[in-house]
Amino acid sequence: MADPVLTSDRSSDPAPLDPASRTICHVCQKQFSQYTCPRCNSRYCSLQCYKSHSVRCTESFMRENVVEELQHVQPHDKTKRKMLDILKRLHSEEEEEEEDSMDEDGVDSLSEETIRKILSGDQISFDDLSAEERKRFQRALASGELSKMIEPWDPWWFKPSARKIRLGQEGNQLVQPINEESSSQSLEDGEESSSSNEIPPGPEAPLPPIRKLSSTEPSPLLPVHLVDIIYSYCFTLRLYNGDWRSDPIGSSMVVLSISLVLGHGGQPETVLEALSHCLEQTCSPAYKHAGGLRFGIALVDDTVSILSLGTDALICLLCDLQRLLQGAEKEMRLEKGRMPRRAEIKSQLKLARRKVYFMMCWAHEQPDEVWSSLAALVRAEKDIAVAHGESKRYAKSAEKPEGTGKVLIEEIQ
């Protein structure tokens, strides 16, 4: 009688010369197993069976190896060569796997030319990628995998230097003479010099009195409108990870889409109405990926923090927003290709820029007590919104009830 064959799941290594104690491969069910997967304890007989026994095990094993190597990469030729060898090895293993098992996804590794560009520090554009690499990039972008690789931006309004912003009496930048001593001192003290660059600068020219810009008294609703503008600015900077200059036109379109005052010609009469519109836009399908209502509540906190910094910080914010809109206008003048609704967008940008400048001049004439009171009001409305979100996860509808003008907030996830 033939010796019985055991199919035990025990992970202990059997004696190689004892057939009675050996286990059949869990993958091919033909050969005796000689190895055990360190992740799932599955028994297998060969490299081919290991690769096909569990995609989760093999992919995570390769990913962890690559990540571990990347953590030790240093900018010198020896390390670059080592990294290139690792990527080549993974590339060849994937090619062998495709030939043997005809991978269902048909995903290729990065081309050797692309790898060399990355390791040499050259910039890689979308056009440099192969057709399959572009598909992989788009899948990673859609799944949010790429966002995990970007270091989160630390907003300037949370920096300690934001509480030390000082502008001139006319709202413009203070002129500080630079001599050789102060220049050398700033080079030695890198921390201090960097802190001065992390805050957006204020206006270069003095701000005119508000009476010279308009013959009528400013609207009493301007504080409410300012809340709308601050929220839209914070949303845009967080969405672009602090770098609106990478895409002035795109970032300006975000500002106009979020702001009821700048982009929709609206005039909210209460802080609740202003925040409701901003939160509704934040939770809309267009920005669903940004984080929904939680992200919106965090932006309300940003608005409160900025108001708490006082007049000079608000002027710097509005000045930065003005530069953003000016940058978009400049890009559109240089843009040679056709753009849908070009004339309409240019008109919107121009009008929005003028509104921001008017708001800047108005804010310059307001005492700090105005901002502390406004911050308290925004904080109170935020607490109401949070309590509403905890008691009811979704609002029934974004429709306006009859007889009221309030806008309900709908969270879309």
Side-chain angles (χ1 to χ4, degrees):
M1 178 182 294
D3 293 334
V5 178
L6 301 181
T7 58
S8 171
D9 290 334
R10 290 178 300 175
S11 60
S12 59
D13 293 333
L17 299 179
D18 185 5
S21 64
R22 300 184 67 180
T23 304
I24 290 294
C25 174
H26 290 178
V27 182
C28 66
Q29 300 290 327
K30 296 178 180 179
Q31 304 293 332
F32 287 114
S33 64
Q34 301 181 33
Y35 312 98
T36 302
C37 175
R39 295 183 179 276
C40 64
N41 291 327
S42 178
R43 300 302 300 269
Y44 59 95
C45 63
S46 63
L47 177 61
Q48 183 59 39
C49 285
Y50 169 73
K51 289 182 177 181
S52 59
H53 90 281
S54 172
V55 176
R56 181 181 302 175
C57 290
T58 54
E59 285 186 352
S60 59
F61 175 75
M62 291 183 179
R63 188 185 303 112
E64 288 178 7
N65 278 338
V66 173
V67 170
E68 182 179 357
E69 291 294 339
L70 285 174
Q71 291 175 347
H72 300 288
V73 168
Q74 299 294 331
H76 50 75
D77 294 337
K78 182 178 179 180
T79 309
K80 289 181 180 180
R81 286 194 299 270
K82 181 179 178 182
M83 190 60 196
L84 185 59
D85 292 337
I86 294 173
L87 293 173
K88 280 184 175 180
R89 186 175 71 246
L90 292 177
H91 179 48
S92 62
E93 289 176 357
E94 288 186 0
E95 286 183 337
E96 292 176 1
E97 182 177 357
E98 285 180 357
E99 293 175 357
D100 296 336
S101 60
M102 297 297 292
D103 184 19
E104 294 180 356
D105 294 333
V107 176
D108 296 327
S109 179
L110 291 175
S111 64
E112 185 172 333
E113 182 180 357
T114 303
I115 294 173
R116 289 187 182 278
K117 284 185 177 181
I118 294 174
L119 295 180
S120 62
D122 294 339
Q123 291 186 352
I124 303 297
S125 68
F126 189 73
D127 295 334
D128 293 328
L129 302 178
S130 65
E132 192 58 45
E133 289 169 351
R134 292 178 187 179
K135 292 180 182 178
R136 294 179 62 191
F137 176 82
Q138 290 171 340
R139 284 197 296 267
L141 187 63
S143 66
E145 184 179 349
L146 291 182
S147 62
K148 300 176 183 178
M149 304 178 184
I150 302 175
E151 183 179 356
W153 171 65
D154 190 13
W156 63 261
W157 49 88
F158 290 141
K159 303 281 187 180
S161 53
R163 299 194 172 276
K164 303 176 183 178
I165 300 175
R166 294 294 179 269
L167 299 177
Q169 292 184 354
E170 296 181 318
N172 56 328
Q173 302 176 28
L174 291 173
V175 179
Q176 298 180 352
I178 300 178
N179 51 37
E180 293 184 2
E181 263 183 39
S182 63
S183 178
S184 61
Q185 180 65 26
S186 65
L187 290 175
E188 292 175 5
D189 190 0
E191 205 173 295
E192 184 176 345
S193 61
S194 63
S195 65
S196 62
N197 295 329
E198 62 194 15
I199 306 298
E204 296 181 359
L207 296 176
I210 197 71
R211 66 177 182 273
K212 290 188 176 181
L213 300 178
S214 175
S215 58
T216 59
E217 287 294 322
S219 170
L221 299 177
L222 288 183
V224 176
H225 297 179
L226 181 61
V227 170
D228 169 274
I229 292 174
I230 294 174
Y231 183 104
S232 305
Y233 171 85
C234 295
F235 180 98
T236 304
L237 259 66
R238 284 195 176 275
L239 192 67
Y240 279 83
N241 211 37
D243 185 19
W244 62 259
R245 289 177 176 81
S246 63
D247 184 11
I249 296 179
S251 58
S252 66
M253 293 298 99
V254 173
V255 171
L256 296 181
S257 66
I258 297 295
S259 174
L260 180 62
V261 175
L262 300 179
H264 301 273
Q267 295 187 357
E269 298 181 359
T270 64
V271 171
L272 173 61
E273 185 180 351
L275 291 179
S276 294
H277 174 82
C278 291
L279 290 171
E280 235 182 331
Q281 294 300 112
T282 303
C283 296
S284 67
Y287 300 113
K288 182 180 179 180
H289 65 281
L293 188 58
R294 287 187 180 181
F295 180 51
I297 296 299
L299 291 168
V300 178
D301 287 333
D302 288 339
T303 304
V304 172
S305 299
I306 290 172
L307 288 170
S308 303
L309 294 175
T311 302
D312 290 346
L314 285 169
I315 292 176
C316 289
L317 178 149
L318 293 169
C319 191
D320 194 38
L321 179 55
Q322 185 186 35
R323 293 190 189 97
L324 186 156
L325 297 170
Q326 287 175 336
E329 290 181 295
K330 182 179 179 181
E331 287 286 329
M332 290 194 69
R333 287 194 298 268
L334 299 175
E335 188 73 33
K336 296 181 179 179
R338 292 185 178 181
M339 179 183 297
R341 301 170 48 237
R342 185 186 187 90
E344 181 184 348
I345 293 175
K346 288 178 66 177
S347 177
Q348 282 185 317
L349 290 174
K350 183 178 180 180
L351 181 59
R353 175 171 52 82
R354 289 181 174 180
K355 286 182 179 180
V356 170
Y357 184 71
F358 184 88
M359 186 70 72
M360 196 191 314
C361 296
W362 171 82
H364 172 239
E365 299 181 358
Q366 307 308 308
D368 285 340
E369 291 77 13
V370 173
W371 314 131
S372 58
S373 300
L374 187 57
L377 183 57
V378 174
R379 189 182 297 110
E381 294 292 356
K382 173 240 178 180
D383 293 340
I384 294 174
V386 171
H388 173 74
E390 290 176 350
S391 62
K392 193 174 185 180
R393 189 174 183 184
Y394 295 97
K396 290 182 179 179
S397 173
E399 298 177 357
K400 296 183 180 180
E402 294 182 4
T404 65
K406 294 182 180 179
V407 181
L408 297 181
I409 303 170
E410 179 183 13
E411 179 183 7
I412 304 175
Q413 293 184 344

